[in-house]
Amino acid sequence: MTAAAHAVRPQGKSPPPEIDPWTHRFGGLLERYPRFWIGLGNQETRALNERIEKVTVDRPIYIAGLARSGSTILLELLARHPDTASHRYRDFPLVLTPWLWNWFVDRAGNRQPEAAERAHRDRIKVTPESPEAFEEVIWMAFFRDLHDASTNTVFDKNAHHPPFETFYRDHIRKLLALRGASRYLSKGNYNVARLGYLKKLFPDARFVVPIRDPVWHIASLMKQHRLFVAWESEDPRVRAHMRRSGHFEFGLDRRPPNIGDGRAAAEIAQLWEDGDEVAGWAAHWASVYGHVASQLDDPELAAATLVVRYEDLCSDPGAMLAAILDHCALADDGLVETTRATISAPTYYEPSFTQAERQAISDRTGAVARLFGYG
């Protein structure tokens, strides 16, 4: 695995990722009947009561930031730790019933597929056992308007949703028991707007927020968006898969999150609609990380949060991972040396922005970027 930035202009045309027929079929059932699957998930919890009654949610670890910030690299590294358990590719689409679905997958599968490059075409290879971000499926089942740009998506310490909270806590306990681990590890881009709520639910939670220089970050976001627009136009199942798994960052269903500011979200959407991709992404970057900066004014939340700059991870991966492990209260277990040997800075492209585009990025992101050490 290599930490890699991505060229703005993909070389040649990539075929769309294949969507397994079972995944497509069951994903549609979950999307159409979320209340049924919530009920089935609660029944599963009751059936497993003896197995999970002593399982506690201890210092859960949340990786949350804008897509293409290095969050997948961090997830892959921390998921190697024997104490952590995360969602895996095999858990989708019936994420709400992890024991039932994993029981089915164990009996339906007849071979171990070789690792293959994931859909993002970013050199990260995965198998069904690889960690992945599927927690958003649970949030969407309970909050149906979660990705409506007119809806405020911020969940702060005053949020209160008892049915969700009970289900969510039980789900984590089932996942820990299923994987034989003691620490829950989550990667969720949209959790960046829920740090206060998650800290309220789990006072000992640890948050890792990756961030990246806005010029390089926006270049990577734009490249991914173009890839997914092309794939979803060619195969509607790709679009359905992205929607069902809670990924609205790229593609034909791209939606700017309303992070407490409906006008900002509307402006971003309008910029994209007008074809001003660079300004739209720059405004999006500033909105997300401006919110993070404001949240870190809370001393308790700030103490629980570690901001990880992508550039620091690439330039000194061993030291950066050591700091992350220390923040998360995880023993080294050989991960620092592994990280030092496998991660390096990207070298194979430069963002191809014009001077005017770079100025637009600076104008829209500069104030926020400087808060995180980008000048």
Side-chain angles (χ1 to χ4, degrees):
M1 178 181 63
T2 302
H6 312 288
V8 177
R9 294 183 177 85
Q11 300 299 314
K13 183 179 179 181
S14 259
E18 294 184 12
I19 306 299
D20 180 85
W22 283 104
T23 298
H24 186 64
R25 189 172 298 115
F26 279 110
L29 290 174
L30 176 57
E31 184 178 38
R32 288 192 295 273
Y33 308 110
R35 293 299 165 188
F36 169 81
W37 293 103
I38 290 172
L40 192 58
N42 285 327
Q43 289 185 38
E44 179 184 72
T45 299
R46 289 190 287 271
L48 295 169
N49 183 59
E50 290 187 7
R51 295 197 186 195
I52 66 173
E53 61 180 348
K54 294 183 180 180
V55 177
T56 59
V57 183
D58 173 37
R59 295 166 295 170
I61 302 164
Y62 289 92
I63 301 170
L66 189 58
R68 313 307 303 158
S69 60
S71 55
T72 297
I73 296 168
L74 294 174
L75 175 66
E76 292 249 348
L77 290 170
L78 293 181
R80 295 184 184 188
H81 198 286
D83 290 349
T84 65
S86 64
H87 289 104
R88 300 176 183 175
Y89 278 88
R90 65 155 33 218
D91 294 324
F92 187 81
L94 300 190
V95 178
L96 277 65
T97 53
W99 279 74
L100 175 64
W101 181 242
N102 274 266
W103 180 91
F104 172 79
V105 170
D106 286 341
R107 285 151 183 78
N110 54 14
R111 65 184 181 89
Q112 278 289 344
E114 294 183 4
E117 189 176 28
R118 68 180 186 146
H120 301 70
R121 302 296 190 258
D122 56 8
R123 305 192 302 185
I124 295 178
K125 293 187 175 183
V126 298
T127 75
E129 303 306 321
S130 297
E132 177 56 320
F134 286 133
E135 184 184 295
E136 194 66 16
V137 175
I138 305 171
W139 290 84
M140 292 192 305
F142 279 87
F143 307 105
R144 301 295 284 171
D145 296 328
L146 201 56
H147 295 287
D148 183 338
S150 66
T151 301
N152 185 349
T153 61
V154 174
F155 286 68
D156 60 19
K157 60 185 178 182
N158 297 315
H160 183 61
H161 304 282
F164 166 77
E165 292 163 16
T166 298
F167 186 97
Y168 182 52
R169 192 182 302 272
D170 286 340
H171 178 84
I172 294 175
R173 293 166 64 218
K174 286 188 289 188
L175 203 64
L176 291 171
L178 180 65
R179 304 269 142 86
S182 59
R183 303 283 299 281
Y184 175 59
L185 172 63
S186 164
K187 172 200 162 189
N189 297 333
Y190 297 108
N191 279 340
V192 76
R194 305 163 187 159
L195 301 182
Y197 185 42
L198 292 168
K199 182 73 167 61
K200 173 188 173 182
L201 297 183
F202 308 112
D204 57 0
R206 312 307 291 172
F207 303 103
V208 178
V209 178
I211 189 172
R212 190 173 184 178
D213 179 280
V215 171
W216 289 78
H217 202 163
I218 291 166
S220 183
L221 288 162
M222 290 176 64
K223 179 254 187 177
Q224 288 298 308
H225 177 62
R226 279 195 291 272
L227 281 175
F228 278 95
V229 166
W231 291 333
E232 291 172 10
S233 300
E234 184 175 339
D235 185 351
R237 292 176 301 175
V238 177
R239 183 177 185 178
H241 180 82
M242 291 287 283
R243 183 180 67 248
R244 293 164 182 172
S245 57
H247 288 293
F248 298 96
E249 302 95 336
F250 316 115
L252 298 175
D253 280 330
R254 177 178 60 173
R255 307 174 191 178
N258 178 344
I259 310 181
D261 188 344
R263 288 178 297 179
E267 180 192 16
I268 295 166
Q270 189 61 54
L271 287 167
W272 283 338
E273 185 176 340
D274 293 342
D276 197 342
E277 288 287 313
V278 172
W281 282 113
H284 183 32
W285 191 98
S287 173
V288 170
Y289 288 109
H291 175 76
V292 170
S294 69
Q295 293 300 291
L296 297 184
D297 288 338
D298 179 334
E300 290 190 3
L301 188 54
T305 304
L306 178 66
V307 176
V308 176
R309 300 200 323 168
Y310 181 86
E311 298 76 21
D312 296 337
L313 180 64
C314 290
S315 64
D316 195 349
M320 196 69 251
L321 186 69
I324 294 168
L325 292 173
D326 182 65
H327 176 72
C328 296
L330 289 171
D332 182 335
D333 205 58
L335 288 179
V336 169
E337 191 58 36
T338 298
T339 302
R340 189 176 288 117
T342 57
I343 291 183
S344 60
T347 59
Y348 57 90
Y349 93 103
E350 288 284 342
S352 57
F353 293 125
T354 66
Q355 187 57 42
E357 289 171 331
R358 286 177 178 267
Q359 187 61 51
I361 293 173
S362 177
D363 290 344
R364 288 184 176 272
T365 67
V368 175
R370 284 189 288 275
L371 297 175
F372 294 97
Y374 295 109

